[in-house]
Amino acid sequence: MDIDLTAWQILIVKLLIILTVVPVGALIGGYVLHKEMAHMQHRLGPMYAGGWHGWAQTLADGIKFAYKEDIIPASADRRVFSMAPAVIFVPVLLLFLVIPIDRTLIIEDLDVGLFYLLAIGSVGAIGVLMAGWSSANKYALIGALRSAGQLIAYELPIVLSAAAVAMLAGSLSLVTIVEAQDWPFILWPPGIGLALFMLFILGAMAEMSLPPFDMPVAESELITGPFTEYTGMRFIFGFFFAETAHMIAFAGIGTTLFLGGYKPIVPWGPLEVIPGIIWFFVKTAFMIFLLLWIRFSFPRLREDQLQKFAWKFLIPLSLALILATGAWILYGPGG
Amino acid sequence: MAIKDPELQHLQDSSAFADEVSEGRLVTEQMLLNVGPQHPATHGVFRLLATIDGERIVRAEPVVGYMHRGYEKLVEQRDYRQITNLISRMDWLSGINNELPLALALEKLMEIEVPPRAQYLRVALAEMNRILNHLMFFQSFAAELGAITPTFYAFREREDIQYAMESVTGGRMHFGFFRPGGLKEDVPKGFIAMALASIRKVIERLPDYEDLLTGNEIFKQRTINIGLLEKEVAYAYGVSGPIGRGSDIDMDVRRDEPYLVYDEFDFDVCTAPHGDCFDRFWVLLHEIIESAKIVEQALEALPPGPILGKVPRVVEAPKGEVYIRTENPLGELGFYLVSDGGKRPYRIKIRTPSFSNVSALPHVLRDTLVADMIAILGSFFFVLGDVDR
Amino acid sequence: MVRDRLTAEDALERVTGALGERVVEARLNHGQVDLVVEADHLVEVVTILRDDIALRCRFFTFLSAIDRSTYNFDDGGGAGEDKKEKKVGTIEVLVHLYSPEKVFHVNIHVLLDFEKPVCPSITGVFVGAEWHEREAAEMFGIGFPGHPNLVKLYLSEDFEGHPLLKSFKLPARSFVKDWPGAKDPDEAAAGGR
């Protein structure tokens, strides 16, 4: 079947796909978050909304937030305050453009896909600063400054580990990176693969301000940090959606870079029948589970300890790993 | 840009400002941060005026009194029996321990003898309440540092113990059970087994909780050498309880001046040498184990008999004054009872542990970081009802 | 750490020995040392109690006050017999110290003039007295010269009056209701509450 669409129509279809899939994904992700956290804490989680085990809980929350009054503090900087959530949320949406769900199922297969991901991912830091500064609230300001420092510091482990992966695959295009991966995925090159994966996870957790790196939004100190003054839809889009969608995006990116994306786990005959999409979702679900698991288990690092950890340990480690990867490529097996 | 700090006023003129900065000095202003009175980290309505320079606290001054209910005035106009329920609401996490000093003071002044069964049961209930209190602070301290999961484990353990106490007293948090002379009524059948089972469950799971937190590297980094309270300073402020014992003060009323029948039980007093947040927390956890030991010994050796001694029809304390102190879960709770005969006290000075503990905060909070302030407030184990009375 | 526990009588002996002329009166009350001290000597007394090697009352328990204006002194109760004239209508400051090593308590009563109660501050000796003195000042109207920051602790700045004085009546309780339930065990057994 040949569908002939003009470039504009294709663009609109792609936008619609993102604008529906991502929020729905965030809703499901939020539900998973509630349930996983609940069961790990010896309780049940949402049970009532929607009837069966509270499946409509996040949907109900979203609708509730839509009804809330939009309050902007009197001494806040109105324009910056209103724009900040957008600056945080839109880049997260754009991350989904290049993640390959299957060999041919990708919104836009950019040749510099990885570079695009890393660049777009860092724009959110500005949004956080905007939110904190314009709120005219001392706690929000403290949260924003902590956040800015943290986001900048932890960009590097992500960038460097992704760069190492690109070196191993020989390309920045995400589809090529997935194709270049083979069983046993992160266990190869030995040691280096696992270390890179760990770096990526730690960097991703810090980028998303998840515990143990959630100083900026430390609930017991700063309420919600830079987003304290936000209500209603601005809060939902800037904070909750962004965080959940961001988590899904990073899970997807992690799957693509390290776990083999849409490839079956083991190259064994019967498993190859299962379509790539399923594999991708299984692996992404595993990554999300892992991120959430770490989230509920640890107390939070203090900001200066967090920075020390990044600058004195993670970054030197990632630089060392880049060197090791380079050495592996030149002198290791496979040439 | 208007500069508020009087010491930096000379920089108002922008060229002077440029000079100042270009000479390699960074111009900063101190900020007055109001922590509370509504804030998730302060257990209750507690306000801390912190002057911060970046992330460093220069000076912190607690402002209390948001929950002041005027207990010392209220008790002057109430019958001794009416006071029991009132004072139970001071330190609301140690409900039954608050009723104890009043009962003991009246028994001392009126020279009432309490039957042994009542004494043993009082000990058991008081120690069970101590375990409830410590579990609560265990989870609140962890939650403030970001570990949200221990909250649910602690509440699960508390549930069983509260059920046992409810079967006896009818209350889960405020009990109104101790009378001068003994108890209100005897325990129901099955209470001993229920209580022992719930205590043993706590002890079984405690090593896990300890590992979850005290073994965690992040937790250690956030609490070791943070919030140091020196021993002499603690003495000067009157700091007692787990906080005092975390600063190497080896004081425990149950051992030093035994009341009820504490001298018949075998238990240790836990102290820790450094006086930082970790040590206070460690003492808290280990006190749970000691309390459980006492409960087991008390309930297993429970003698039969009456639960109320010979109390005259009208509870009237003779003329006199006495200071009775007990080891409340949070420290030393003391009642200085002044009676001039009559059904109502002339004056009761209620010496609450959290009041003295919190007054030491300005000293401990000097020159710490804002994030550490949260850890320190959490490790100080205070209840606002106790601070404000 | 309990080093050498003193009996109450030994404690009284040591205390009076160390303080000598500075106390007006010293006796034992329910196993605790009870002293009556003049306001001028308070700081000295407290310092000696804290620093004397044989005493070491380092633990500051509390500082409060008692308004004795309606106290019934008739048959010699309270701290001190035979001082009815001096004590009627006084406010006294009560300081309680404890020695953790020797395990004994000291109650120090400082009798103050009712019209203008002033007591020197002991914050120089025990830092912890700061908050206690603030509370006593706002509740009883006692002045504490030498205190670094004598502002109200519990009450709001515009509060008028001193609540814990006997002359301050609580509006809701200007009469006291009788105990509503059974007044003695017989009544209770017969079905009252």
Side-chain angles (χ1 to χ4, degrees):
Chain A
M1 183 180 69
D2 243 341
I3 306 180
D4 232 351
L5 297 169
T6 66
W8 277 114
Q9 286 168 319
I10 297 180
L11 177 65
I12 292 178
V13 168
K14 288 183 177 177
L15 281 177
L16 280 176
I17 293 179
I18 292 199
L19 287 174
T20 43
V21 168
V22 174
V24 170
L27 283 179
I28 300 178
Y31 178 73
V32 166
L33 164 73
H34 283 303
K35 277 298 198 184
E36 186 182 333
M37 177 153 75
H39 282 274
M40 282 194 178
Q41 292 171 346
H42 192 68
R43 51 189 183 94
L44 289 173
M47 291 295 280
Y48 297 107
W52 182 82
H53 281 266
W55 62 266
Q57 180 66 43
T58 36
L59 185 63
D61 279 338
I63 297 176
K64 176 196 78 170
F65 269 99
Y67 277 101
K68 290 212 171 171
E69 184 186 347
D70 186 22
I71 304 174
I72 301 185
S75 33
D77 188 335
R78 293 191 80 93
R79 258 178 308 173
V80 178
F81 190 85
S82 327
M83 286 198 301
V87 176
I88 298 171
F89 188 56
V90 170
V92 173
L93 279 181
L94 294 177
L95 281 176
F96 287 87
L97 277 182
V98 291
I99 301 180
I101 302 181
D102 202 350
R103 196 163 289 112
T104 48
L105 283 180
I106 184 172
I107 304 267
E108 192 73 39
D109 186 11
L110 295 176
D111 279 334
V112 290
L114 189 58
F115 179 72
Y116 166 83
L117 272 181
L118 296 171
I120 288 279
S122 0
V123 176
I126 302 184
V128 170
L129 270 174
M130 284 165 70
W133 179 261
S134 66
S135 291
N137 176 331
K138 284 175 190 166
Y139 286 99
L141 182 61
I142 297 179
L145 293 175
R146 284 179 179 177
S147 194
Q150 180 178 313
L151 293 174
I152 293 174
Y154 282 84
E155 276 295 333
L156 282 170
I158 297 183
V159 167
L160 292 174
S161 59
V165 169
M167 280 163 69
L168 285 169
S171 160
L172 286 174
S173 155
L174 285 172
V175 177
T176 319
I177 291 179
V178 175
E179 288 301 322
Q181 288 178 55
D182 237 332
W183 164 261
F185 301 121
I186 51 171
L187 297 175
W188 192 262
I192 301 182
L194 208 52
L196 288 172
F197 186 55
M198 287 287 104
L199 273 181
F200 179 82
I201 291 205
L202 289 174
M205 297 199 74
E207 280 293 309
M208 296 186 279
S209 293
L210 287 180
F213 303 105
D214 69 336
M215 257 287 138
V217 292
E219 203 181 282
S220 53
E221 303 172 33
L222 305 174
I223 328 307
T224 12
F227 305 100
T228 313
E229 295 288 346
Y230 282 85
T231 59
M233 288 310 264
R234 275 190 236 281
F235 181 76
I236 272 285
F237 275 110
F239 183 58
F240 188 68
F241 260 9
E243 185 184 303
T244 320
H246 212 163
M247 184 169 66
I248 300 176
F250 264 102
I253 297 171
T255 315
T256 311
L257 294 179
F258 295 95
L259 295 180
Y262 50 79
K263 285 190 163 177
I265 293 195
V266 192
W268 182 46
L271 288 180
E272 312 240 345
V273 175
I274 304 175
I277 278 192
I278 308 283
W279 283 119
F280 181 81
F281 280 122
V282 165
K283 292 179 190 178
T284 312
F286 169 71
M287 285 278 306
I288 295 180
F289 178 77
L290 194 65
L291 288 171
L292 290 177
W293 192 5
I294 303 178
R295 178 188 174 150
F296 311 135
S297 310
F298 288 92
R300 62 179 70 95
L301 278 174
R302 205 177 60 201
E303 193 66 16
D304 65 316
Q305 293 164 344
L306 200 154
Q307 297 279 4
K308 267 190 220 160
F309 184 58
W311 292 100
K312 290 193 184 175
F313 179 67
L314 286 185
I315 293 179
L317 179 62
S318 21
L319 291 172
L321 282 172
I322 294 256
L323 287 177
T325 315
W328 176 272
I329 295 176
L330 286 177
Y331 305 117
Chain B
M1 178 187 73
I3 300 183
K4 288 188 221 95
D5 192 327
E7 283 169 38
L8 300 174
Q9 280 301 318
H10 62 283
L11 297 174
Q12 190 73 47
D13 177 18
S14 55
S15 58
F17 185 79
D19 287 337
E20 197 71 48
V21 174
S22 62
E23 268 170 36
R25 263 188 44 190
L26 202 57
V27 179
T28 55
E29 252 190 53
Q30 292 181 348
M31 185 163 89
L32 192 66
L33 187 67
N34 228 336
V35 182
Q38 287 166 319
H39 194 273
T42 63
H43 315 282
V45 269
F46 174 75
R47 181 173 164 211
L48 194 66
L49 273 173
T51 313
I52 60 177
D53 184 7
E55 281 253 355
R56 190 156 282 275
I57 297 179
V58 171
R59 191 175 49 240
E61 196 194 305
V63 177
V64 294
Y66 288 94
M67 237 195 127
H68 179 64
R69 292 156 288 174
Y71 268 78
E72 298 184 356
K73 187 78 178 178
L74 290 176
V75 297
E76 287 176 12
Q77 287 154 349
R78 275 161 179 73
D79 202 284
Y80 283 110
R81 293 168 296 174
Q82 289 170 305
I83 298 177
T84 308
N85 269 311
L86 186 64
I87 53 175
S88 171
R89 281 146 175 82
M90 277 190 311
D91 172 1
W92 50 71
L93 294 175
S94 332
I96 215 160
N97 287 280
N98 293 328
E99 303 169 17
L100 200 47
L102 183 69
L104 291 175
L106 285 173
E107 283 154 21
K108 190 149 201 178
L109 282 181
M110 293 167 70
E111 288 168 16
I112 300 174
E113 204 179 296
V114 184
R117 187 177 171 85
Q119 301 281 50
Y120 276 73
L121 279 175
R122 275 180 172 179
V123 168
L125 290 172
E127 292 303 315
M128 280 167 74
N129 207 307
R130 187 184 308 270
I131 297 179
L132 284 177
N133 176 301
H134 285 340
L135 280 174
M136 182 76 182
F137 279 107
F138 155 74
Q139 67 83 19
S140 78
F141 186 49
E144 270 160 37
L145 290 181
I148 44 185
T149 313
T151 303
F152 301 96
Y153 300 150
F155 274 96
R156 182 182 55 184
E157 313 313 342
R158 278 170 53 102
E159 201 50 48
D160 291 323
I161 303 179
Q162 276 179 323
Y163 188 75
M165 294 193 76
E166 191 186 354
S167 69
V168 177
T169 64
R172 283 161 59 98
M173 198 168 194
H174 297 297
F175 304 98
F177 197 64
F178 289 166
R179 301 272 183 276
L183 308 171
K184 176 173 161 232
E185 47 186 37
D186 208 341
V187 295
K189 230 200 286 208
F191 165 71
I192 298 181
M194 199 164 34
L196 286 175
S198 61
I199 301 289
R200 288 190 181 126
K201 233 192 283 186
V202 173
I203 296 307
E204 214 180 278
R205 297 199 177 125
L206 208 56
D208 284 339
Y209 302 160
E210 210 180 333
D211 281 336
L212 178 66
L213 287 178
T214 55
N216 185 310
E217 196 55 45
I218 298 180
F219 183 84
K220 285 200 269 201
Q221 274 197 337
R222 291 288 308 265
T223 53
I224 293 189
N225 279 328
I226 307 286
L228 290 166
L229 178 64
E230 301 90 7
K231 190 169 173 178
E232 285 309 316
V233 174
Y235 274 135
Y237 278 103
V239 174
S240 53
I243 303 163
R245 290 194 275 278
S247 294
D248 205 20
I249 293 184
D250 192 3
M251 245 175 57
D252 187 327
V253 189
R254 297 173 293 174
R255 181 200 59 189
D256 298 336
E257 292 181 313
Y259 52 99
L260 297 178
V261 281
Y262 277 107
D263 42 359
E264 298 185 20
F265 299 124
D266 177 31
F267 63 98
D268 296 315
V269 173
C270 320
T271 55
H274 304 111
D276 55 17
C277 295
F278 185 84
D279 277 357
R280 295 191 275 270
F281 184 71
W282 187 92
V283 168
L284 191 81
L285 279 185
H286 283 255
E287 283 192 359
I288 300 182
I289 303 179
E290 299 302 323
S291 289
K293 269 202 249 176
I294 300 177
V295 175
E296 274 187 337
Q297 290 171 51
L299 289 179
E300 278 165 9
L302 190 63
I307 43 93
L308 193 67
K310 236 180 122 5
V311 184
R313 285 178 182 202
V314 183
V315 175
E316 250 184 24
K319 243 162 151 353
E321 304 177 4
V322 70
Y323 178 68
I324 293 280
R325 60 182 197 139
T326 59
E327 186 74 23
N328 219 33
L330 297 179
E332 177 185 317
L333 176 66
F335 275 45
Y336 191 90
L337 173 60
V338 178
S339 164
D340 69 345
K343 296 189 247 183
R344 286 171 224 112
Y346 184 81
R347 165 106 171 95
I348 302 185
K349 158 68 188 172
I350 308 174
R351 189 265 181 207
T352 50
S354 301
F355 183 74
S356 304
N357 295 349
V358 168
S359 65
L361 268 181
H363 175 89
V364 176
L365 282 177
R366 267 173 341 186
D367 275 345
T368 55
L369 296 175
V370 172
D372 286 338
M373 168 183 75
I374 303 298
I376 297 170
L377 278 179
S379 79
F380 253 65
F381 311 139
F382 61 90
V383 171
L384 254 305
D386 234 17
V387 178
D388 286 346
R389 272 172 283 138
Chain C
M1 170 78 83
V2 179
R3 291 267 157 73
D4 74 294
R5 188 184 286 263
L6 292 175
T7 62
E9 292 76 22
D10 278 338
L12 179 63
E13 216 182 287
R14 282 202 198 182
V15 166
T16 43
L19 295 175
E21 286 293 304
R22 296 178 194 88
V23 300
V24 172
E25 205 184 306
R27 60 182 202 123
L28 279 183
N29 177 27
H30 288 284
Q32 298 179 352
V33 177
D34 233 35
L35 305 174
V36 178
V37 167
E38 298 272 333
D40 306 324
H41 295 146
L42 179 63
V43 179
E44 232 186 297
V45 164
V46 168
T47 317
I48 294 177
L49 283 173
R50 183 192 67 172
D51 295 334
D52 188 307
I53 282 290
L55 298 173
R56 298 292 267 154
C57 290
R58 302 141 81 193
F59 188 80
F60 176 74
T61 310
F62 69 85
L63 180 153
S64 186
I66 304 177
D67 175 0
R68 299 259 185 199
S69 50
T70 61
Y71 192 77
N72 177 9
F73 283 102
D74 276 336
D75 52 28
E81 310 160 299
D82 220 7
K83 296 281 190 289
K84 201 172 25 164
E85 303 82 33
K86 217 207 271 184
K87 298 238 324 249
V88 166
T90 53
I91 289 189
E92 63 179 57
V93 161
L94 173 65
V95 180
H96 187 107
L97 300 176
Y98 171 68
S99 170
E101 291 164 358
K102 319 270 186 243
V103 187
F104 71 92
H105 297 261
V106 182
N107 295 289
I108 307 173
H109 302 256
V110 185
L111 305 181
L112 304 175
D113 176 37
F114 194 79
E115 298 308 319
K116 206 175 174 309
V118 164
C119 173
S121 165
I122 60 171
T123 46
V125 188
F126 286 106
V127 194
E130 198 192 318
W131 276 25
H132 296 251
E133 286 178 357
R134 276 169 72 181
E135 194 200 344
E138 69 179 353
M139 292 291 170
F140 291 90
I142 303 177
F144 287 97
H147 191 283
N149 180 29
L150 203 65
V151 300
K152 287 195 157 65
L153 183 70
Y154 283 153
L155 305 172
S156 56
E157 278 92 27
D158 53 357
F159 193 92
E160 281 168 17
H162 299 289
L164 279 177
L165 288 177
K166 290 293 176 184
S167 50
F168 188 97
K169 296 280 179 232
L170 282 184
R173 283 256 172 174
S174 30
F175 66 96
V176 183
K177 288 197 277 202
D178 262 330
W179 175 251
K183 290 194 182 26
D184 52 46
D186 291 341
E187 259 187 57
R193 263 184 304 132

